[in-house]
Amino acid sequence: MELIGYNSYSSRGPVPQYEVSINFLTRKKLTRDNLNKDVDGDNYTTDNFKETWERINSKQLIRLSNIKDFDELDF
């Protein structure tokens, strides 16, 4: 089996900080950075994300059996 997608999410309590979504089949990476991430959780009202698309330089898919720690993956 091979890794065809990867998603990562970071939040500070109820306030999302950023999201990363990678599609290895299309070789595209979406990064969504919350522009309101420094607003206090009690005053947080809406998500305002800046989306950035990138192409990734992965020539072949990663075999799941070769992944020791998903936190160590770098794309």
Side-chain angles (χ1 to χ4, degrees):
M1 298 196 97
E2 296 171 321
L3 182 67
I4 61 170
Y6 177 83
N7 292 300
S8 176
Y9 175 85
S10 176
S11 67
R12 191 184 68 205
V15 180
Q17 300 293 294
Y18 67 88
E19 301 172 6
V20 175
S21 181
I22 301 173
N23 184 321
F24 292 105
L25 296 178
T26 61
R27 294 187 175 94
K28 292 184 180 179
K29 174 182 176 180
L30 171 62
T31 303
R32 299 181 73 222
D33 188 28
N34 187 356
L35 300 176
N36 294 335
K37 64 184 166 193
D38 294 325
V39 176
D40 185 329
D42 294 336
N43 299 322
Y44 187 76
T45 58
T46 183
D47 298 338
N48 184 16
F49 287 95
K50 175 186 172 192
E51 294 187 355
T52 305
W53 284 95
E54 302 173 59
R55 302 247 337 134
I56 60 171
N57 296 326
S58 176
K59 300 294 184 209
Q60 63 187 53
L61 298 176
I62 301 169
R63 297 188 64 77
L64 292 177
S65 60
N66 292 340
I67 299 172
K68 303 296 182 218
D69 185 357
F70 277 94
D71 291 331
E72 298 297 322
L73 290 176
D74 185 32
F75 311 106

